């Protein structure tokens, strides 16, 4: 039995377009908004859709030239061990500064990069830049430490991911233990059996995985055990009110206990106040 549903975009003459082509484009934009709203529904065209479409198109065109124009750069967020009070790693964060558009938030340009497949060359650039920076740090006398890199769903699904990662590590002569690949909970659960297979192969090459934004999606505990990740990252949305909100405190404590029970390390993101720090210290 096959059930067909429809997503409908509606444009009205003359406000949404005075020609067939203009109306069709407006209706098309509204239809995609209906799909994003969960499908099997309808949306009327609005000016906001036109503004958003124009902005997205402008960003996509600029992003296609960002690598050639050296507009992308990495920031490194330190990872701090509370028991012995020292930096034990870092996370590479992608940033984009365009001459015309200024600083563009990753929350805005990463989805555009994923939709247009630009995330593949950009993701490879991030891996190469991060490992090259690691090599420079080590050559300058700094102690080696693992650096985390986020993987998008598009990168994770590409067939040559493992080959690409191992080749980059070999080119920089870096041991695999210096790289941690982070996968969001929602990406891991999108196709958990496929995720398990890829994670197993990465683990065989000595590359460790972390589950990012844990607690914001819908993880299955049985799959979590089979993922064989080595770290759970507590999302900053739980951390920001952890000093005052009992619900956030209970969620954080549950994630920490879960990680310890599965012999995983736990890491909290977005710690910015002494109160947040004291709470996390008290929970181990």
């Amino acid at each position: 039995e096959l059930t067909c549903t429809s997503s409908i975009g509606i444009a009205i003459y003359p406000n949404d377009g005075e020609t067939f082509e203009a109306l069709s484009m407006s209706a098309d934009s509204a239809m995609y908004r209906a799909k994003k709203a969960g499908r099997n529904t309808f949306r009327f065209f609005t000016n906001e859709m036109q503004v958003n479409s124009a902005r997205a198109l402008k960003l996509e065109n600029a992003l296609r030239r960002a690598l050639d124009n050296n507009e992308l750069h990495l920031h490194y967020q330190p990872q701090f061990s509370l028991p012995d009070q020292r930096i034990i790693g870092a996370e590479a964060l992608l940033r984009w500064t365009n001459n015309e558009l200024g600083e563009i938030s990753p929350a805005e340009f990463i989805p555009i990069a994923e939709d247009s497949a630009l995330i593949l060359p950009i993701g490879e650039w991030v891996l190469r830049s991060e490992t090259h920076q690691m090599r420079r740090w080590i050559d300058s006398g700094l102690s080696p430490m693992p650096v985390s890199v986020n993987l998008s769903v598009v990168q994770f699904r590409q067939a040559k991911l493992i080959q690409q990662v191992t080749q980059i590590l070999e080119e920089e002569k870096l041991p695999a233990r210096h790289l941690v690949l982070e996968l969001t909970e929602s990406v891991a659960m999108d196709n958990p059996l496929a995720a398990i297979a890829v994670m197993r192969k990465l683990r065989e090459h000595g590359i460790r995985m972390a589950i990012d934004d844990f607690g914001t999606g819908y993880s299955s505990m049985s799959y979590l055990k089979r993922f064989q990740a080595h770290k759970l990252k507590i999302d900053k949305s739980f951390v920001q009110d952890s000093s005052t909100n009992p619900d956030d405190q209970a969620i954080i404590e549950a994630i920490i206990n879960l990680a310890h029970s599965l012999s995983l390390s736990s890491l909290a993101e977005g710690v910015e106040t002494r109160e947040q720090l004291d709470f996390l210290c008290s929970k181990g």
Side-chain angles (χ1 to χ4, degrees), residues 4-248:
C4 295
T5 63
S6 59
S7 299
I8 304 172
I10 305 167
I12 300 175
Y13 173 89
N15 290 340
D16 300 334
E18 296 186 354
T19 65
F20 173 80
E21 289 77 12
L23 278 173
S24 179
M25 288 175 63
S26 296
D28 201 44
S29 296
M31 179 194 67
Y32 280 108
R33 184 61 63 91
K35 288 185 176 182
K36 283 188 175 181
R39 301 176 182 269
N40 194 26
T41 186
F42 65 90
R43 287 292 184 270
F44 283 91
F45 179 78
T46 64
N47 289 330
E48 176 227 352
M49 293 179 193
Q50 189 173 29
V51 171
N52 288 345
S53 296
R55 169 75 174 176
L57 184 60
K58 192 170 188 177
L59 287 177
E60 182 180 335
N61 288 333
L63 195 56
R64 291 186 183 279
R65 301 186 298 272
L67 278 176
D68 292 336
N69 294 341
N70 294 318
E71 295 174 356
L72 300 178
H73 52 282
L74 296 179
H75 288 187
Y76 291 90
Q77 180 168 274
Q79 296 178 342
F80 196 71
S81 171
L82 298 185
D84 45 12
Q85 298 288 299
R86 65 187 180 91
I87 293 177
I88 57 169
E91 178 181 352
L93 304 175
L94 179 62
R95 296 294 181 262
W96 177 27
T97 305
N98 178 267
N99 289 334
E100 179 187 352
L101 302 169
E103 293 273 352
I104 299 104
S105 167
E108 186 175 21
F109 75 79
I110 292 295
I112 293 173
E114 290 179 333
D115 289 342
S116 61
L118 288 169
I119 196 66
L120 293 177
I122 290 173
E124 182 177 353
W125 177 87
V126 170
L127 279 168
R128 291 188 180 279
S129 300
E130 179 273 330
T131 51
H132 183 64
Q133 181 64 69
M134 277 292 299
R135 172 45 60 195
R136 290 177 59 192
W137 281 337
I138 293 171
D139 290 346
S140 67
L142 290 176
S143 299
M145 63 179 181
V147 174
S148 301
V149 174
N150 289 285
L151 284 183
S152 78
V153 62
V154 182
Q155 287 175 280
F156 192 66
R157 287 174 180 167
Q158 68 170 327
K160 64 175 185 177
L161 172 66
I162 297 167
Q163 177 189 347
Q164 183 185 86
V165 173
T166 53
Q167 181 181 336
I168 291 173
L169 288 171
E170 288 172 5
E171 289 173 0
E172 293 293 344
K173 296 180 172 56
L174 271 180
R177 65 178 181 274
H178 295 333
L179 176 66
V180 178
L181 298 179
E182 294 190 0
L183 201 62
T184 63
E185 182 184 9
S186 57
V187 170
M189 290 305 300
D190 182 59
N191 188 344
L193 294 178
I196 289 168
V198 175
M199 287 180 173
R200 183 179 295 119
K201 290 178 182 177
L202 288 167
R203 193 179 181 91
E204 289 170 359
H205 285 88
I207 299 164
R208 294 178 295 174
M209 301 286 300
I211 304 297
D212 198 9
D213 300 341
F214 189 78
T216 61
Y218 303 94
S219 274
S220 161
M221 294 301 109
S222 62
Y223 282 129
L224 181 61
K225 179 178 65 175
R226 296 168 62 189
F227 283 152
Q228 294 187 310
H230 89 285
K231 182 186 296 179
L232 293 184
K233 296 185 67 179
I234 303 167
D235 189 70
K236 64 181 180 181
S237 61
F238 301 126
V239 174
Q240 61 189 9
D241 295 325
S242 59
S243 57
T244 56
N245 190 316
D247 293 337
D248 286 335

